[in-house]
Amino acid sequence: MSEGSKGSSLAFGQVVIGPPGSGKTTYCHGMQEFMGRIGRKVTVVNLDPANEAMPYQCAVDIAELITLPDVMENLKLGPNGGLIYCMEYLEANFDWLQEKLAAFRGHYYLFDCPGQVELYTHHNALKNVFTQLAKWNFRLAAVHLVDSHYCTDPGKFISVLCTSLSTMLHVELPHVNVLSKMDLIERYGKLAFNLDYYTEVLDLSYLVDHLASDPFFRNYRRLNEKLVEVIEDYSLVSFVPLNVQDKESMRQVMQAVDKANGYSFGDQEQRSLEALMSAAVGADFHFTSTLAVQEKYVQSQDKAVEEEVMDL
C-alpha cells in the first residue's frame, strides 16, 4: 500500500528474523524511529510470543492471540516446542492476523519474528505465514540479522554462512543478510581479514586455511572444505554491516531492503534520478558502507596498539 494512497492494493514491509540475541527487537525499534523521521508511516507487528519487553510502539501483538508462557504451562512444553506450537496456532488463525493488519492500510510493516533458528531452516509454519501475507499483496523482504562477533571466529562464521544459506532457501523471500552490532565488533578481538572479506563472502579457502592452524579443526579440514564449496556454489550469501546508532548505516540497510522488496521502484516517496539509478543498476553502496565501518574498526585497532606501546 503506497503512503497517502489507501486505495492501493500493495503493502511493503520487512520480516526481521535471526537467532536469539542478534538484535531483532532493537533493529525494529531503530528502524521504526528512522523511517518515522523520513515520513513513512510504520507499523510494527510483534510475532514473537516470547517477547515481553518491547521498546517500540507495537501496533499488532501476537500476545493478544497466544503467549509462550501460557503454552508452556498449559501444554507442558519446553520453550522450543512452545514456540513451534505458537507459530502453528498463528498459522491456523490467519483471520485474526488479517483483521489486525487491515486497520493499518497505507503503512509500512515491520514484523518482529521469534529467534528460534529451526523456524527458518526446517519448520514450515512461519514460512506459510509469509506465503499468506504475499497472497494478501504484501511485498516483503526478509532481514536476517547475525551478530557481527561471529566474524572473529572462523569456525562460527562458516556455521553462520550455512545457517544463512539454509534460511534463504527455506523462507523463499527476497533476502538481506545483516551483520548487526558493528559498533561492538572490536570488543571481540582482531579480525583475521578485512571486513569486506566477511561482508562480501570472498574466497573462503583462506578461511579454511586459517581454521587448519587450529589443532581441533585440522582434523575436520575435508568437512570444512565441502561446507565452503556448498556456500560458494550457491553464491547467495553476503552481508550488509549495521550499527543501529549510526544514521548512515541505517540508511544503507534501508536502501538494500527497499531494493529487495521493490519499495524503491514505486512512487511512495520523492526520489532523485540518481537514487533510482543506484537501485536499478545495483550500485555498490554495500562497499561504501563496509569501507566506512572498516575505517572505524582499523582506527580502534590502531588506538589499542598505541595504548599498549604507551604502557610499555
Side-chain angles (χ1 to χ4, degrees), residues 211-224:
L211 269 175
S213 62
D214 188 312
F216 176 79
F217 288 107
R218 191 177 301 141
N219 297 327
Y220 300 97
R221 183 184 180 97
R222 183 64 176 163
L223 173 62
N224 290 325

Side-chain angles (χ1 to χ4, degrees), residues 12-311:
F12 292 90
Q14 309 174 20
V15 292
V16 184
I17 62 180
S22 58
K24 296 184 295 299
T25 298
T26 301
Y27 171 87
C28 288
H29 184 211
M31 189 58 73
Q32 181 186 43
E33 291 188 342
F34 182 80
M35 287 185 171
R37 292 192 183 103
I38 63 173
R40 292 194 196 180
K41 298 177 182 178
V42 181
T43 293
V44 181
V45 181
N46 176 44
L47 295 183
D48 185 358
N51 200 350
E52 297 178 348
M54 293 172 287
Y56 50 73
Q57 295 178 359
C58 183
V60 180
D61 190 355
I62 193 177
E64 298 176 20
L65 179 70
I66 191 170
T67 65
L68 181 61
D70 288 343
V71 169
M72 292 174 62
E73 180 180 353
N74 295 326
L75 299 181
K76 308 305 178 185
L77 294 173
N80 289 341
L83 272 174
I84 289 176
Y85 180 89
C86 290
M87 293 302 100
E88 291 177 344
Y89 191 80
L90 174 63
E91 182 187 0
N93 289 272
F94 279 142
D95 54 342
W96 173 85
L97 183 60
Q98 186 176 26
E99 180 183 351
K100 290 292 184 180
L101 296 177
F104 300 96
R105 286 181 173 274
H107 287 216
Y108 187 99
Y109 296 83
L110 297 173
F111 294 88
D112 189 2
C113 299
Q116 188 179 359
V117 175
E118 291 84 353
L119 291 172
Y120 314 112
T121 59
H122 298 84
H123 201 262
N124 286 326
L126 258 183
K127 174 185 175 181
N128 294 338
V129 171
F130 300 154
T131 301
Q132 185 61 50
L133 288 170
K135 292 178 180 178
W136 294 337
N137 282 330
F138 278 76
R139 297 295 178 262
L140 302 173
V143 179
H144 184 208
L145 297 181
V146 175
D147 197 316
S148 61
H149 86 266
Y150 290 119
C151 294
T152 60
D153 187 316
K156 291 181 179 179
F157 187 65
I158 290 179
S159 176
V160 161
L161 291 174
C162 291
T163 302
S164 298
L165 177 59
S166 179
T167 300
M168 295 175 75
L169 296 176
H170 184 73
V171 172
E172 297 180 346
L173 282 175
H175 216 88
V176 177
N177 292 303
V178 174
L179 284 176
S180 62
K181 306 179 185 179
M182 287 304 302
D183 52 318
L184 303 178
I185 190 171
E186 65 269 11
R187 297 185 183 182
Y188 301 108
K190 189 174 181 179
L191 297 178
F193 307 99
N194 286 339
L195 187 61
D196 62 339
Y197 177 87
Y198 300 93
T199 57
E200 301 301 324
V201 189
L202 302 176
D203 189 350
L204 295 178
S205 61
Y206 293 104
L207 205 62
V208 175
D209 292 337
H210 190 75
L211 269 175
S213 62
D214 188 312
F216 176 79
F217 288 107
R218 191 177 301 141
N219 297 327
Y220 300 97
R221 183 184 180 97
R222 183 64 176 163
L223 173 62
N224 290 325
E225 287 176 346
K226 288 302 178 182
L227 289 175
V228 163
E229 283 181 17
V230 171
I231 296 165
E232 292 184 330
D233 285 347
Y234 276 97
S235 190
L236 290 176
V237 185
S238 63
F239 296 94
V240 181
L242 170 67
N243 173 8
V244 175
Q245 306 299 325
D246 183 58
K247 293 180 181 178
E248 180 60 22
S249 179
M250 291 291 285
R251 188 188 71 81
Q252 297 288 0
V253 172
M254 185 188 72
Q255 186 177 1
V257 177
D258 283 351
K259 178 184 173 185
N261 64 16
Y263 185 91
S264 60
F265 301 105
D267 58 356
Q268 290 81 359
E269 294 168 353
Q270 292 295 324
R271 298 178 179 82
S272 65
L273 178 61
E274 180 183 357
L276 285 173
M277 288 300 294
S278 175
V281 302
D284 55 348
F285 55 83
H286 290 261
F287 175 77
T288 305
S289 175
T290 303
L291 186 62
V293 176
Q294 175 69 23
E295 289 177 352
K296 292 180 181 179
Y297 175 76
V298 171
Q299 290 173 0
S300 66
Q301 291 295 318
D302 291 343
K303 184 177 180 181
V305 172
E306 292 176 1
E307 290 176 351
E308 290 179 3
V309 172
M310 292 294 291
D311 291 339

